[in-house]
Amino acid sequence: MTVVDQTPSEPTDARGRVAELHSLREQARRGPSDRATEAQHAKGKLTARERIALLLDEGSFKEVEQLRRHRASGFGLEAKKPYTDGVVTGWGTVEGRTVFVYAHDFRIFGGALGEAHATKIHKIMDMAIAAGAPLVSLNDGAGARIQEGVSALAGYGGIFQRNTRASGVIPQISVMLGPCAGGAAYSPALTDFVFMVRDTSQMFITGPDVVRAVTGEEISQNGLGGADVHAETSGVAHFAYDDEETCISEVRYLISMLPSNNRENPPVHETTDPADRRSDVLLDLVPADGNRPYDMHKVIEELVDDGDVLEIHERWARNIICALARLDGQVVGIVANQPAHLAGVLDIEASEKAARFVQMCDAFNIPIVTLLDVPGFLPGVDQEHGGIIRHGAKLLYAYCNATVPRISLILRKAYGGAYIVMDSQSIGADLTYAWPTNEIAVMGAEGAANVIFRKQIAEAEDPEAMRSRMVKEYKAELMHPYYAAERGLVDDVIDPAETRETLIGALAMLRSKHADLPSRKHGNPPQ
């Protein structure tokens, strides 16, 4: 059944008006037609209301402006005035906590944004900010409604302005479940997290046809802006999944790790994982030889409650790990070098990834635990010309600006500027621990010996023997495990097996930490 204009006939009494109301609500809930719903399902996509039902606790959704209709005319619009105007807005709960949501209905005008459509989104965003509750957008729209011209474009401006106003105030999560092209793509980019579904969601500023016309490059929509591209190459998407059900389930999980707003702490979950659980396995997971790789994921899983970790940007900039997890039921943000990928060096993308994560944690009162095993910044012409200085400074700025509890742990290598940037004590870490395998220095012993003892090595009868001797001497003098501790740059050298208990105890002590930043309108971070 296709609904063109649902203007009702005039009822004659109160019962008739109530019946009319229920009829209109049913029309709005059903959508434009069964055929449109079938077409949506044929693409492997759910409807807006089906998606909302997956996101929110059963029966909790309260809709806002369900009977809103556009007032535009021309190009045939006056004959098509469906209820909701192509976007479903309202609030409900996730694990009992209030969450606001808007979902594009692709069955109506292809989910395109017009004036009434935008006004509904503006209202629900304002409500989320005022209520101090997370906002989830379920995106499946064809961009601005061309028939409404500049009014549609102005609607996007209102969304962007509210995205910015809500930044760092409430969690904002964008779930891409269909196309998102042109200026519409900037709203997800302004939010805290972006989820995508493979094959059905794409994001790009200019589509394949425009790219082909301007540059001559041939590429598909997924090849240009699909989930895997943005999860692995561009870093636009934080998460990518194979289907909508899994994607939305993970959105619920993420919400469970975040506070409702910047004035609250993240939810605490009871755990049966003992706070004083020893982790002797760590002694075997991490080789003492700094040149041997290992998987930092296994270290993190061993430390946190029940090995349960939600990694952010898992497939982008894999030389650094950013994850949310719990220690004794309390949510923490973990930043860790990954020796299994590029030896755990910091480069442009890793610096950007970690900087944004640190800022997010600081905005939402999530303590930060940093696990160091970093040989330095990645050398190379491409890195220098790409601006590794300013990109690396983003991570430095983020840590220096963070006022949440900050604990750093040095597992093995911590060399040069990368050691400083990765939340060293000198830039404000509240507590710094190290394992007995730590090596904190300006650079590796081999490189340092080559610089300091260059003349002696060159003049020696056996340069290699001399170099070997000088390396051992440098290590013995400046790189032994207790050098930094002796100078107060490490608060304690700990048994790796006791790391979990040490971190939990330190975080408990820091839970009431309060730190004020200087009065200012805002900082001017490196770009």
Side-chain angles (χ1 to χ4, degrees):
M1 177 180 125
T2 300
V3 177
V4 176
D5 190 340
Q6 304 101 326
T7 303
S9 58
E10 188 71 23
T12 58
D13 57 17
R15 291 183 183 277
R17 289 185 181 274
V18 171
E20 172 197 47
L21 171 63
H22 289 305
S23 175
L24 294 181
R25 284 182 171 176
E26 180 57 29
Q27 289 177 22
R29 283 192 290 264
R30 189 170 60 244
S33 69
D34 293 338
R35 183 176 178 182
T37 301
E38 291 168 3
Q40 181 82 346
H41 288 163
K43 297 173 186 174
K45 296 161 65 175
L46 302 174
T47 65
R49 295 181 187 279
E50 289 169 340
R51 291 163 174 166
I52 290 173
L54 285 175
L55 174 68
L56 301 177
D57 297 337
E58 186 175 357
S60 69
F61 181 55
K62 305 298 181 185
E63 190 167 353
V64 176
E65 296 194 354
Q66 183 186 62
L67 302 181
R68 187 69 177 259
R69 303 164 78 182
H70 73 76
R71 298 174 293 180
S73 60
F75 306 100
L77 285 178
E78 62 275 5
K80 297 179 180 179
K81 294 187 175 183
Y83 292 114
T84 74
D85 198 49
V87 63
V88 181
T89 60
W91 77 88
T93 59
V94 172
E95 295 187 3
R97 298 164 61 218
T98 299
V99 172
F100 287 81
V101 60
Y102 68 86
H104 298 131
D105 191 341
F106 194 82
R107 302 172 302 166
I108 298 175
F109 300 125
L113 182 139
E115 184 180 16
H117 182 120
T119 302
K120 288 182 65 175
I121 295 175
H122 296 169
K123 179 170 184 174
I124 210 68
M125 295 180 78
D126 289 340
M127 291 175 69
I129 295 169
L135 174 70
V136 178
S137 62
L138 302 175
N139 298 270
D140 186 8
R145 195 174 299 171
I146 299 172
Q147 300 95 319
E148 295 193 32
V150 71
S151 296
L153 293 178
Y156 276 121
I159 293 173
F160 303 157
Q161 191 267 345
R162 287 167 174 81
N163 284 140
T164 304
R165 197 171 76 219
S167 180
V169 178
I170 58 172
Q172 298 180 84
I173 301 172
S174 297
V175 189
M176 315 312 295
L177 302 166
C180 185
Y186 284 116
S187 177
L190 289 169
T191 61
D192 299 302
F193 300 97
V194 176
F195 288 72
M196 294 188 74
V197 176
R198 293 184 181 90
D199 298 327
T200 58
S201 63
Q202 302 89 28
M203 296 174 66
F204 36 69
I205 299 301
T206 54
D209 293 342
V210 176
V211 170
R212 185 185 309 110
V214 175
T215 70
E217 297 171 290
E218 293 281 350
I219 193 165
S220 67
Q221 286 196 348
N222 281 322
L224 182 63
D228 288 327
V229 168
H230 287 312
E232 294 180 14
T233 305
S234 72
V236 170
H238 300 78
F239 305 94
Y241 299 100
D242 290 330
D243 57 81
E244 293 190 18
E245 291 83 357
T246 303
C247 180
I248 295 174
S249 174
E250 289 298 296
V251 173
R252 285 178 57 89
Y253 180 42
L254 172 61
I255 291 172
S256 76
M257 305 283 276
L258 301 173
S260 292
N261 56 65
N262 64 338
R263 300 182 303 277
E264 298 181 8
N265 292 323
V268 179
H269 281 206
E270 290 187 11
T271 179
T272 57
D273 196 346
D276 59 353
R277 169 172 56 80
R278 284 183 59 85
S279 301
D280 292 293
V281 68
L282 291 173
L283 298 170
D284 300 314
L285 276 179
V286 181
D289 181 355
N291 294 319
R292 289 179 58 192
Y294 62 93
D295 188 353
M296 184 66 82
H297 289 108
K298 295 180 179 179
V299 175
I300 297 172
E301 290 168 4
E302 180 62 27
L303 292 175
V304 303
D305 294 353
D306 304 310
D308 197 3
V309 179
L310 178 61
E311 187 172 355
I312 315 297
H313 269 143
E314 180 180 1
R315 296 161 61 197
W316 182 60
R318 290 182 293 159
N319 39 321
I320 200 159
I321 297 170
C322 297
L324 294 172
R326 286 190 172 89
L327 284 169
D328 199 29
Q330 305 279 347
V331 176
V332 295
I334 297 175
V335 180
N337 305 110
Q338 172 57 296
H341 190 81
L342 292 177
V345 298
L346 288 179
D347 60 5
I348 289 172
E349 292 185 344
S351 298
E352 287 194 337
K353 170 180 169 178
R356 184 88 195 290
F357 181 74
V358 168
Q359 288 174 173
M360 185 280 298
C361 289
D362 187 49
F364 294 118
N365 307 313
I366 300 173
I368 301 167
V369 174
T370 305
L371 306 179
L372 285 85
D373 192 345
V374 59
F377 283 94
L378 181 65
V381 174
D382 288 345
Q383 288 290 308
E384 296 296 343
H385 288 185
I388 184 63
I389 294 173
R390 61 185 174 87
H391 290 290
K394 293 177 184 179
L395 180 54
L396 179 61
Y397 187 100
Y399 269 124
C400 290
N401 203 47
T403 60
V404 293
R406 292 155 48 191
I407 300 173
S408 61
L409 171 66
I410 302 157
L411 281 66
R412 293 194 312 186
K413 302 182 298 296
Y415 294 162
Y419 152 64
I420 300 173
V421 167
M422 290 287 292
D423 207 19
S424 62
Q425 190 176 101
S426 61
I427 67 168
D430 295 296
L431 288 167
T432 302
Y433 296 107
W435 285 359
T437 47
N438 81 84
E439 292 182 357
I440 307 173
V442 175
M443 63 177 68
E446 289 77 9
N450 287 337
V451 172
I452 298 172
F453 307 112
R454 180 173 58 248
K455 185 176 180 181
Q456 293 95 316
I457 292 172
E459 294 175 352
E461 291 183 8
D462 187 344
E464 286 304 316
M466 175 62 74
R467 179 181 289 107
S468 179
R469 186 162 68 87
M470 292 298 100
V471 167
K472 291 180 181 179
E473 183 177 318
Y474 182 83
K475 282 187 174 181
E477 289 294 323
L478 297 176
M479 290 182 65
H480 64 79
Y482 308 103
Y483 183 85
E486 290 170 0
R487 284 152 182 79
L489 297 174
V490 166
D491 291 294
D492 198 7
V493 179
I494 63 172
D495 179 348
E498 298 173 354
T499 301
R500 173 177 164 83
E501 181 179 5
T502 300
L503 292 176
I504 288 173
L507 288 167
M509 179 275 295
L510 290 167
R511 199 160 294 142
S512 58
K513 174 188 174 182
H514 177 77
D516 289 321
L517 292 172
S519 177
R520 59 184 174 185
K521 186 175 182 180
H522 56 73
N524 187 24
Q527 296 296 320

